[in-house]
Amino acid sequence: MSNILRLMTPPSPYDGDTSPRFAQGRTAEASRLSSASMNDPYEKLGVRRRINAAGALTRLGGAVMAPEVVEAMAAASRGSVDIGELQDAGSARIAEATGAEAGLVTTGAAAALTLAAAAAIARWDVARMAALPHVAADILLPRTHRTGYAHALAASGARLVDIGHNDRGTGAGVRGLEAWEIEAALSPSVVAMGFSVNATSIVDLPTAVAVCGAHGVPLIVDAAAQLPPKENLRRFIAMGADLVAFSGGKALGGPQASGILAGRRDLIASALLQQLDMDVSPDTWTPPKLIDRANLRGVPHHGIGRGFKAGKEEIVGLLTALDRFVTADDAATNAALEARLRAIASALDGHAVTLVPAEKTGRVPVLEIAVPDALAASVRLQRGDPPVHLSERHAARGILTLDPQVLLPEHDAPLVEALRAALP
Ligand SMILES: *Cc1c(COP(=O)(O)O)cnc(C)c1O
């Protein structure tokens, strides 16, 4: 086993176990490594562990959960609870953390967007819930916000209607979204407006809030990857968004398949109703507190969100991670990350490495590494042993970004070794 792999082997729960099972004729070190491998689920499956310096990317497994989160999930798994009651408790926690009236734990930000759209379409109408995705409904979306995740809004059955001007997005001009462009697109079939918020698009959010508010059109904000900073948990709600979606499996550090939908109580209730298991008897069904049965003319069937059910483990894991995220000391976390990045940068002496502090990125500090052919270097790193991932988001500018958001501290040394070998 190479030094690199030894460094990557996770600690064994049998550390210190000197029983004959693990010690037979071996050195303590060999015994430790072999028992560790036996307990490594990835090794059992023949799947390699990777060094992730690319950020909390979904395709690399998202966040790395803190032991406290994993323990809460394990404890939650051993028992039965009413999922509606659990979501009610989650709603109160999410409301507290975001400033919203209510909240829902979803199976990711994409699921939150589909549920948000379904809520905007159906509201309290059980017949419309039953008809989804086959309804005539439009969701307005600024042209420059047509990310790959817009599919999640369309999955509700709504038609996405592009609005606004593209000049600022394409760099051809200075104009962004204007009020009249939203107003001109309004019609009785418009059920909501979507908005993908980030550091650039946020300048247009007040315009969207004002026009949507004046016309009673719910504004659904995709803020999936806008954490940290933690202030953003409250920011878009405070600005007037009706519903905001966050990923749980990215910076929040929750289970990978978790997310948050926060916002208006009536819309959250509709989203919850369309996600819950509804194989219930109308005579005995006790709805969650969020759902006022007087608003329903009947008990809905399984809704469009039934396939995105959040399990008790995800709900508890997400809420535990949210608590940690809210109380964490961001300044201390960023200072620690910056110290690690400085050490890595000095070990890469001779390469063009720039440390970009958290104040500049708006999230965590990163290292930008200038590489002549960035994509070729990225491929070499990914094909190495162990495989290494840097962010390719600025590859077109000849930069690979070392994003330490989910980089395990024990990976710093093997990462440096791999970078030294792979960078020209
Ligand atoms: C990651 C992301 C999503 C999807 O989030 P999941 O929690 O993985 O479902 C949606 N929108 C944006 C902008 C994202 O970055």
Side-chain angles (χ1 to χ4, degrees):
M1 185 175 283
S2 73
N3 273 340
I4 289 176
L5 280 177
R6 182 166 298 128
L7 274 159
M8 295 182 72
T9 307
S12 159
Y14 293 108
D15 272 352
D17 183 344
T18 52
S19 69
R21 258 184 322 153
F22 298 108
Q24 284 166 350
R26 301 187 198 145
T27 63
E29 171 71 351
S31 150
R32 193 186 70 80
L33 287 173
S34 92
S35 58
S37 336
M38 275 168 47
N39 288 289
D40 182 344
Y42 295 130
E43 191 161 334
K44 269 189 193 158
L45 294 166
V47 174
R48 288 173 304 164
R49 286 180 180 268
R50 289 165 185 267
I51 295 181
N52 180 3
L57 302 181
T58 299
R59 63 184 174 278
L60 293 177
V64 173
M65 291 187 285
E68 186 187 338
V69 176
V70 181
E71 281 155 23
M73 291 177 76
S77 76
R78 293 187 294 269
S80 301
V81 290
D82 182 302
I83 294 293
E85 189 185 339
L86 184 56
Q87 286 281 17
D88 271 336
S91 174
R93 293 298 182 88
I94 293 169
E96 202 179 307
T98 61
E101 287 174 8
L104 176 66
V105 181
T106 67
T107 51
L113 292 172
T114 306
L115 289 168
I121 295 168
R123 308 273 184 125
W124 294 110
D125 184 341
V126 294
R128 249 163 112 79
M129 288 178 195
L132 289 180
H134 304 292
V135 292
D138 292 338
I139 294 181
L140 307 181
L141 192 66
R143 279 194 164 71
T144 48
H145 297 216
R146 265 234 182 224
T147 71
Y149 301 104
H151 202 138
L153 292 170
S156 64
R159 187 175 66 128
L160 301 186
V161 178
D162 289 324
I163 58 166
H165 205 48
N166 208 12
D167 271 8
R168 203 162 61 205
T170 56
V174 295
R175 296 179 68 173
L177 188 66
E178 290 168 58
W180 64 266
E181 295 173 315
I182 308 172
E183 283 160 0
L186 291 174
S187 77
S189 61
V190 171
V191 296
M193 175 170 163
F195 195 102
S196 182
V197 76
N198 56 44
T200 310
S201 70
I202 194 165
V203 296
D204 291 328
L205 189 53
T207 304
V209 165
V211 178
C212 287
H215 292 87
V217 172
L219 182 64
I220 301 169
V221 170
D222 178 357
Q226 297 306 302
L227 304 172
K230 69 173 128 193
E231 289 73 29
N232 280 358
L233 274 173
R234 312 183 79 88
R235 187 172 183 195
F236 315 117
I237 292 287
M239 288 176 78
D242 295 286
L243 290 169
V244 181
F246 295 104
S247 273
K250 292 179 181 169
L252 265 177
Q256 182 173 15
S258 73
I260 290 175
L261 183 65
R264 247 169 61 187
R265 189 184 164 96
D266 60 325
L267 294 170
I268 293 292
S270 176
L272 170 61
L273 201 45
Q274 296 183 75
Q275 186 203 48
L276 284 177
D277 169 20
M278 292 303 296
D279 184 16
V280 296
S281 156
D283 300 323
T284 61
W285 181 52
T286 313
K289 282 206 211 86
L290 266 175
I291 295 163
D292 182 354
R293 200 162 168 177
N295 290 322
L296 299 170
R297 65 170 142 151
V299 174
H301 299 149
H302 293 312
I304 195 166
R306 176 62 177 82
F308 322 138
K309 67 168 186 267
K312 57 193 181 301
E313 299 83 5
E314 283 86 33
I315 298 171
V316 165
L318 183 280
L319 295 173
T320 308
L322 179 62
D323 254 9
R324 284 175 50 88
F325 185 81
V326 167
T327 51
D329 182 345
D330 283 355
T333 306
N334 286 336
L337 288 175
E338 233 184 271
R340 285 170 60 195
L341 291 181
R342 279 187 207 290
I344 291 171
S346 66
L348 294 176
D349 202 16
H351 293 281
V353 180
T354 312
L355 189 135
V356 188
E359 304 83 69
K360 259 226 164 133
T361 64
R363 24 192 302 280
V364 293
V366 301
L367 279 189
E368 292 193 345
I369 307 173
V371 192
D373 189 345
L375 289 178
S378 180
V379 168
R380 278 199 299 283
L381 286 162
Q382 290 180 40
R383 293 193 180 152
D385 183 19
V388 167
H389 295 259
L390 298 186
S391 167
E392 296 175 350
R393 60 180 171 258
H394 300 307
R397 290 199 276 121
I399 287 169
L400 288 178
T401 306
L402 194 168
D403 182 327
Q405 199 167 29
V406 299
L407 179 66
L408 300 174
E410 62 269 33
H411 284 181
D412 290 8
L415 171 62
V416 164
E417 210 172 308
L419 288 172
R420 277 200 185 131
L423 296 180

